[in-house]
Amino acid sequence: MMDPQIERKLIEIMRVIHESDKPIGARAIADELNNRGYDIGERAVRYHLRILDERGFTCKHGYAGRTLTELGEREMSDALIADRFGFVISRIEETAYGTTYNPETNDGVVPVNISYFDKDDLEAVIEVISYTAHEGYMISSRVRIIEEDEEAVSLPPGKIGLATVCSVVFDGLLLKAGIPVEPAYGGILQMENRKPVRFLDLISYSGTSIDPIQIFMSRKTTSVLDVLERGDGKILANMRQINSSAYDRAKEVIKSAEKVGLGGCFPPGGIDETLFGAPVETGKFGISIVGGINGICALEETGIKIKTNPVSTLMEYKSMTEI
């Protein structure tokens, strides 16, 4: 039986090919998958394409690239399409489970987003990320600069990488404390006088193969710089649901994390009450967490070109430094 993770990547590759209006090559497919939050290189894409060729799902057109065959199109709309649903939640759950960071000892790994940009933009990137983090609109003010020759993360030629802490760290901390947490929504949160007011738009994590935060980021609907400068604007935020019985314990875990510099959580909502307009299931309460890539959105708002893979990998928190 094929590894489920490979099957999911095959599905996403087929989806990219399906959405292209002409034959598309491995490099372009890898770039698009990275834009959608999948950490996969050109070589790995070529490996998966060979599998699709063998199954008769894709057809190669010389150096121009590949298209889907009739069989591939049918498979997209039938069997394989069902496997996509819930993939993002699965990634979050796996990453949360792999989080080992302990605030009391300051040891362990945390989930990070990996962004990459031109070397000439490094100074501006550091300045904006620092500003956003210290204003409380990112998860942590610790980052890691990744050079091109580092083996841990693959970067395009001529680029520098930046690792920022992902909001999934809270899923991991809550899970380690014995508190199940459910990713509910990603959305655009309206801020007024530096306080959250309402979600302007929401996408459920259930039944999607693309991270909702990635979708909103690609739409360029934030105004993080306005929030930083005037207190009013739109930021990225997540909403999690937690069982009501864990209300007090969850607050303790979040407070413990804040003491070591992991922040970005707004006060939890009431049990059985909507949170900034987002629905909450009966017997649960909602908690909203700022998007870990709000600083990246702020950079894009300045005109800097930067690409990001959310929930990219796990990294030792000690290897990250205060910005």
Side-chain angles (χ1 to χ4, degrees):
M1 179 180 290
M2 182 73 72
D3 186 329
Q5 293 297 325
I6 294 179
E7 289 288 356
R8 286 167 178 156
K9 289 177 182 177
L10 292 173
I11 292 165
E12 293 307 318
I13 290 172
M14 291 178 68
R15 187 167 180 267
V16 170
I17 297 173
H18 172 77
E19 293 174 355
S20 177
D21 57 1
K22 59 184 179 181
I24 183 170
R27 166 50 66 184
I29 292 172
D31 288 344
E32 180 57 28
L33 288 173
N34 283 321
N35 289 339
R36 299 182 185 194
Y38 296 93
D39 188 15
I40 184 170
E42 182 179 356
R43 181 180 298 178
V45 168
R46 293 187 186 280
Y47 166 76
H48 289 80
L49 287 172
R50 286 197 295 271
I51 296 174
L52 292 173
D53 288 344
E54 292 170 0
R55 293 183 180 183
F57 294 160
T58 49
C59 176
K60 190 174 182 180
H61 300 269
Y63 293 108
R66 284 172 172 80
T67 58
L68 292 184
T69 63
E70 289 186 15
L71 179 61
E73 292 286 356
R74 288 199 301 270
E75 196 71 12
M76 273 291 296
S77 61
D78 296 331
L80 286 178
I81 198 74
D83 191 53
R84 293 189 341 208
F85 297 130
F87 177 51
V88 172
I89 289 182
S90 295
R91 282 179 59 210
I92 290 173
E93 290 175 343
E94 290 171 5
T95 306
Y97 182 77
T99 299
T100 62
Y101 179 69
N102 184 336
E104 294 181 2
T105 62
N106 198 35
D107 287 320
V109 298
V110 296
V112 296
N113 314 299
I114 301 295
S115 305
Y116 53 92
F117 50 90
D118 290 337
K119 293 180 179 180
D120 293 342
D121 292 325
L122 178 59
E123 185 176 345
V125 167
I126 294 298
E127 181 180 356
V128 173
I129 292 294
S130 177
Y131 185 17
T132 311
H134 285 285
E135 287 296 314
Y137 298 110
M138 291 177 63
I139 305 302
S140 172
S141 56
R142 282 198 186 190
V143 303
R144 180 173 166 184
I145 304 299
I146 304 167
E147 299 292 344
E148 187 178 345
D149 57 353
E150 289 191 36
E151 295 182 359
V153 178
S154 177
L155 296 174
K159 301 290 185 179
I160 286 183
L162 178 75
T164 53
V165 179
C166 173
S167 61
V168 177
V169 67
F170 286 103
D171 298 67
L173 293 174
L174 290 165
L175 183 63
K176 295 298 183 294
I179 303 172
V181 55
E182 176 191 347
Y185 304 100
I188 298 293
L189 184 60
Q190 177 71 43
M191 303 291 294
E192 294 180 4
N193 295 320
R194 304 190 184 281
K195 295 182 179 180
V197 177
R198 69 187 72 84
F199 278 106
L200 301 177
D201 202 355
L202 291 169
I203 295 177
S204 171
Y205 276 94
S206 176
T208 180
S209 61
I210 306 176
D211 190 333
I213 292 297
Q214 183 80 3
I215 294 173
F216 285 116
M217 186 180 185
S218 66
R219 292 179 182 174
K220 303 186 185 303
T221 52
T222 62
S223 51
V224 177
L225 290 178
D226 288 342
V227 177
L228 292 173
E229 294 169 4
R230 299 194 295 271
D232 299 334
K234 296 173 287 187
I235 65 169
L236 296 175
N238 299 281
M239 203 274 270
R240 305 293 201 246
Q241 289 189 138
I242 302 173
N243 192 280
S244 60
S245 61
Y247 192 89
D248 292 334
R249 179 61 179 136
K251 290 175 66 175
E252 291 175 4
V253 171
I254 292 168
K255 186 175 182 180
S256 175
E258 289 176 345
K259 290 180 179 179
V260 294
L262 293 171
C265 287
F266 296 112
I271 297 170
D272 297 337
E273 295 181 2
T274 60
L275 182 68
F276 308 132
V280 175
E281 294 177 8
T282 302
K284 298 182 179 181
F285 66 95
I287 185 166
S288 182
I289 310 169
V290 300
I293 54 177
N294 276 314
I296 307 302
C297 292
L299 284 166
E300 290 188 334
E301 290 168 21
T302 68
I304 291 177
K305 293 183 179 180
I306 185 167
K307 291 191 175 183
T308 298
N309 299 331
V311 201
S312 183
T313 188
L314 293 165
M315 183 174 288
E316 286 285 345
Y317 194 52
K318 279 186 176 180
S319 72
M320 306 177 77
T321 56
E322 186 79 17
I323 194 172

